[in-house]
Amino acid sequence: MTRITNHLPTAQLQALDAAHHLHPFTENAALAQKGARVITAASGVMLTDSDGAEILDAMAGLWCVNIGYGRAELAEAAARQMRELPYYNTFFQTTHVPAIALAERLARLAPGDLNHVFYASGGSEANDTNIRLARTYWAEKGKPEKQVIISRHNAYHGSTVGAASLGGMSGMHAQGGLPIPGIVHIDEPNWYAAGGEMSPEDFGLERARQLEAKIAEIGEDKVAAFIAEPIQGAGGVIIPPESYWPEIQRICDAHEILLIADEVITGFGRTGNWFGAETYAIRPDIMTIAKGLSSGYAPIGGSLVSDEVAGVLAATEFNHGYTYSGHPVACAVALENLRILEEERIVERVREETGPYLREKWEALADHPFVGEARIVGFMGSLALTPDKPARAPFAAPAGTVGLIAREISFENNLIMRHVGDRMIIAPPLVLSKAEIDTLIERAIRTLDEAHEEARKQGLLVAG
Ligand code: PXG
């Protein structure tokens, strides 16, 4: 049997990968031609690949490695828990210490009275839980007609059938018969792309009021919940105008609609506060968490719910749960991660020190001729590439053509900066130092210069 080690030549690893491994969100035949990049190790904010390249990971894996790579304390917490109690479930009237301790810790950290957690293995599962939670809540309240969940186009809430239905990604809906019934979508608050001549504040109000119009259209007695990411992540780091969230909150309150904040990305320090709900002064009834909860060291997610929702649910048997709901090893790792985030004041550092430092440099990228907008909140930023800055114009070429060129050049410059369409995005580990911010910005500028030149050479600097 072949042992898969880091010492095999890259080409051999790539061939084995291509032969047997189907990648998510990937055209696997094209990847097999090219060969996947093999990541072999990581420390702090740096990745190492199988050819020895050192790459600055400005995406924190998939928006999740908040405390950075290589923290032995988390490995030790996992090993300790595996020796003591590697697995037990939380069905059938049992529990265990890691699940209890993490639930208590989360209740303390979460805003408002989100004092109860239902565990999952990730964000998608947690959002599937939320669909059933919200509908069951209203049924238990004697309003079984309140079933519809309103979400947004270009939202990302995960890849399971329920979560992908909540999401507003047309490419996902096109495969497998989605969305499931009872989920509808309104427009996203993307001022840059759709605001035209409106001020961002007026546009934010206009987009929020689409929720009120949709509730009126469906009937308040039929709507269970509205779900949204405080800042859209996978949609391209779309930062809403300041007017947006207060109006959404008002509408949810006025029409008795549960507000579900999907904080899978924005939670655990990403926006410079523990939760995006604090950054935008939102009072969610349910909050989706995952990713930064364990900094990606173990698969865990969950739904945090308010006293009111938990109280209503408590009166019935909620016929729902996963084998790994509250997995003891994942809970132990999450607890250790939260201890480090708290004791090392990592969230405060993003808010007060490194966040403002990165913000100044990131926003200055808006002066680059290739950049139509440069925005950032905490450690979550985006750049919109454009052929015509004053007009905020998109490219004539299909969306993503230019973004992909920039992403490839970024990787060559040893910077993991992603593209969503023609937006470039970052969400670095929260431990990124000022010196590392300088490196990130230097590589981003080099990438913008080179990508601009490449787009010019290919005749792509044409507005569409
Ligand atoms: N909600 C949000 C807001 C997310 O960003 C999920 C739910 C689903 O979580 P799980 O743990 O089931 O993946 C996510 C996940 C990307 C990308 O390309 C983003 C995510 C996942 C994979 C890729 O930006 N976000």
Side-chain angles (χ1 to χ4, degrees):
M1 197 182 87
T2 317
R3 226 181 117 228
I4 312 289
T5 70
N6 291 346
H7 309 297
L8 290 176
T10 299
Q12 200 178 336
L13 288 167
Q14 289 171 328
L16 287 169
D17 187 74
H20 304 295
H21 180 190
L22 295 171
H23 290 249
F25 285 94
T26 298
E27 223 181 292
N28 280 280
L31 180 64
Q33 285 291 315
K34 185 177 167 210
R37 190 192 273 259
V38 184
I39 305 299
T40 52
S43 174
V45 302
M46 302 300 285
L47 305 171
T48 306
D49 76 7
S50 54
D51 296 327
E54 298 269 323
I55 311 152
L56 198 163
D57 182 10
M59 282 307 298
L62 271 181
W63 324 76
C64 54
V65 188
N66 289 13
I67 62 166
Y69 297 93
R71 293 298 299 247
E73 301 94 319
L74 272 67
E76 279 148 24
R80 223 172 19 245
Q81 189 57 47
M82 279 204 188
R83 288 196 191 95
E84 203 167 293
L85 179 70
Y87 177 75
Y88 202 72
N89 67 72
T90 53
F91 288 46
F92 314 132
Q93 309 191 2
T94 58
T95 190
H96 50 69
V97 176
I100 299 166
L102 181 60
E104 187 275 336
R105 183 72 148 256
L106 286 168
R108 196 147 40 84
L109 278 176
D113 65 353
L114 296 171
N115 289 323
H116 315 265
V117 64
F118 193 102
Y119 289 116
S121 302
S124 303
E125 280 186 5
N127 277 328
D128 269 40
T129 299
N130 292 341
I131 294 172
R132 305 193 64 213
L133 254 177
R135 291 174 172 174
T136 307
Y137 168 81
W138 287 114
E140 286 302 308
K141 296 264 287 185
K143 297 184 176 175
E145 300 282 292
K146 278 174 88 72
Q147 292 283 301
V148 176
I149 301 178
I150 303 177
S151 180
R152 305 184 297 185
H153 298 299
N154 201 35
Y156 189 82
H157 296 297
S159 259
T160 51
V161 169
S165 296
L166 288 176
M169 300 288 178
S170 49
M172 293 177 78
H173 288 178
Q175 295 172 327
L178 306 184
I180 58 171
I183 295 175
V184 299
H185 299 81
I186 58 174
D187 289 326
E188 57 180 331
N190 183 346
W191 175 80
Y192 179 83
E197 296 298 310
M198 285 177 99
S199 73
E201 297 321 302
D202 287 349
F203 178 75
L205 285 177
E206 191 248 358
R207 285 285 150 116
R209 286 173 188 158
Q210 279 195 14
L211 175 60
E212 200 154 40
K214 188 56 87 178
I215 293 168
E217 178 192 321
I218 299 166
E220 183 175 323
D221 54 340
K222 293 205 170 52
V223 181
F226 173 65
I227 182 168
E229 308 150 77
I231 296 172
Q232 287 156 264
V237 183
I238 311 296
I239 298 168
E242 288 297 320
S243 57
Y244 182 76
W245 274 111
E247 185 66 0
I248 290 284
Q249 180 73 60
R250 180 193 69 72
I251 294 165
C252 289
D253 291 345
H255 299 284
E256 277 208 304
I257 305 301
L258 294 177
L259 175 55
I260 307 175
D262 184 341
E263 298 243 19
V264 167
I265 285 177
T266 50
F268 305 100
R270 175 65 48 207
T271 68
N273 292 300
W274 275 89
F275 297 97
E278 291 154 326
T279 303
Y280 288 105
I282 323 168
R283 288 175 284 100
D285 302 286
I286 300 176
M287 181 189 280
T288 324
I289 54 172
K291 296 193 189 270
L293 167 58
S294 66
S295 282
Y297 282 58
I300 184 167
S303 305
L304 291 174
V305 307
S306 68
D307 288 342
E308 156 70 15
V309 173
V312 170
L313 258 292
T316 187
E317 179 172 340
F318 185 37
N319 297 316
H320 182 80
Y322 308 109
T323 300
Y324 299 131
S325 284
H327 191 287
V329 176
C331 287
V333 169
L335 270 168
E336 186 61 10
N337 172 61
L338 296 180
R339 183 191 68 73
I340 289 173
L341 279 173
E342 280 190 288
E343 286 180 14
E344 297 183 8
R345 305 188 73 253
I346 290 170
V347 181
E348 288 84 344
R349 230 187 314 146
V350 169
R351 180 168 60 238
E352 288 154 20
E353 236 177 276
T354 49
Y357 186 78
L358 174 58
R359 179 181 183 141
E360 193 189 323
K361 290 175 182 275
W362 187 260
E363 287 180 347
L365 298 177
D367 295 336
H368 195 283
F370 203 22
V371 174
E373 126 177 303
R375 306 228 22 225
I376 191 161
V377 172
F379 265 17
M380 193 171 175
S382 57
L383 304 172
L385 304 180
T386 179
D388 178 353
K389 210 177 163 87
R392 309 205 304 267
F395 296 93
T401 310
V402 175
L404 180 62
I405 291 171
R407 187 198 69 171
E408 297 290 322
I409 290 173
S410 184
F411 282 21
E412 281 162 27
N413 287 327
N414 288 332
L415 174 67
I416 304 264
M417 175 164 66
R418 285 258 314 281
H419 81 109
V420 174
D422 298 313
R423 296 177 77 83
M424 305 308 296
I425 59 177
I426 59 162
L430 305 185
V431 293
L432 192 76
S433 68
K434 287 188 176 173
E436 289 161 342
I437 289 173
D438 292 343
T439 305
L440 187 162
I441 295 292
E442 228 174 78
R443 291 180 187 179
I445 291 172
R446 196 183 325 144
T447 298
L448 287 171
D449 289 344
E450 292 173 10
H452 197 203
E453 178 56 20
E454 183 59 31
R456 194 190 57 73
K457 269 200 223 148
Q458 293 191 26
L460 294 169
L461 294 182
V462 181

